Amino acid sequence: MDPVYAVLLLVAGFGAGVCNAIAGGGSLLSFPALVATGLPPVTATVTNAVAVWPGYLGGAAALRSRLADHRSLVPGLVVAGTAGAIGGVIALLAAPPEVFAALVPYLVLAATALFAAQPVISKRLAQKGGDSRFTLFAGVFLGGVYGAYFNGGMGIVLLTALALGIEASINSLNGLKSALTLAVSTTATIAVALFGPVEWWSVAVLAPACLLGGTVGAKIADRLRPGVFRGVVIVFGTGAGLAMLFT
């Protein structure tokens, strides 16, 4: 691997780990970096899915105590998210690569917009009352499809689905969201590792950087101003999406 590309992946991976620990949306840093190294979009997204998986495992482990309030829902929601993930992986690997390449700029821009709006969405959803099991399971299924097809912003999508279907605070739903992102990510990782065009040298560089960034991010989450880091990710994601759209 070109040393310049290796440094780019190390920096992007570290930033993605920090971002996921603080606010989510780390794939908006790591995925464009993989594309910038010359990987085709499908190869970049499956490589990214494998590389960021350890971070989801760590997040789910750290927040497992928050599952207590919704433990009865966990098995069904994991099944729904996993089923959606299987559909997303099939769509990713079976469709012509040209289709995914055409959609990528819009997916990046949409995920960036959702990431930017996440504080407002969370505030509005926290004020909403009432449970809807159909909305809950349908939303988690669609979140699984999205997360396996394109990882960027998956946690935000799943958290929104949970908040629409369960009457609870966003903070109390965070553990359930982490468990679901792990289930979706694990399903996608196994599938693409077996059948997808994973670039393993890139994984070897990116995954440790993501892990280190997540460790550091967890320690500084209470000290760093999330708004500053969020702004960096929004600018990066918007620029990457527009660059892909017009090149």
Side-chain angles (χ1 to χ4, degrees):
M1 177 181 292
D2 188 307
V4 174
Y5 289 158
V7 171
L8 173 63
L9 291 182
L10 286 171
V11 173
F14 181 82
V18 173
C19 185
N20 281 334
I22 295 173
S27 288
L28 295 175
L29 294 173
S30 54
F31 172 77
L34 287 165
V35 173
T37 66
L39 296 183
V42 171
T43 302
T45 198
V46 299
T47 300
N48 184 66
V50 175
V52 301
W53 178 83
Y56 290 125
L57 177 62
L63 295 173
R64 63 186 182 279
S65 62
R66 296 190 185 182
L67 290 173
D69 293 339
H70 311 289
R71 195 170 299 279
S72 63
L73 292 172
V74 172
L77 290 176
V78 167
V79 169
T82 300
I86 292 171
V89 169
I90 292 172
L92 176 65
L93 299 180
E98 295 79 11
V99 174
F100 184 78
L103 289 175
V104 158
Y106 302 101
L107 291 171
V108 171
L109 291 172
T112 303
L114 184 62
F115 181 76
Q118 186 265 332
V120 176
I121 293 173
S122 295
K123 183 177 180 180
R124 295 287 179 86
L125 291 176
Q127 298 170 351
K128 180 197 71 65
D131 289 3
S132 171
R133 288 297 181 261
F134 175 79
T135 300
L136 173 63
F137 282 89
V140 168
F141 174 82
L142 293 174
V145 174
Y146 172 86
Y149 188 77
F150 181 68
N151 186 270
M154 172 176 59
I156 301 169
V157 172
L158 287 170
L159 187 59
T160 300
L162 291 172
L164 287 172
I166 300 175
E167 185 177 1
S169 69
I170 294 297
N171 286 342
S172 70
L173 295 175
N174 205 30
L176 189 52
K177 181 265 293 182
S178 295
L180 291 175
T181 55
L182 176 62
V184 172
S185 179
T186 300
T187 303
T189 296
I190 292 172
V192 300
L194 293 174
F195 306 109
V198 178
E199 176 28 66
W200 291 103
W201 284 112
S202 296
V203 172
V205 175
L206 193 60
C210 287
L211 274 174
L212 179 60
T215 302
V216 173
K219 293 181 178 179
I220 66 174
D222 293 332
R223 303 177 185 177
L224 185 68
R225 294 175 59 188
V228 174
F229 204 88
R230 181 180 297 275
V232 172
V233 176
I234 291 169
V235 171
F236 187 88
T238 302
L242 291 175
M244 292 181 215
L245 187 61
F246 293 111
T247 56

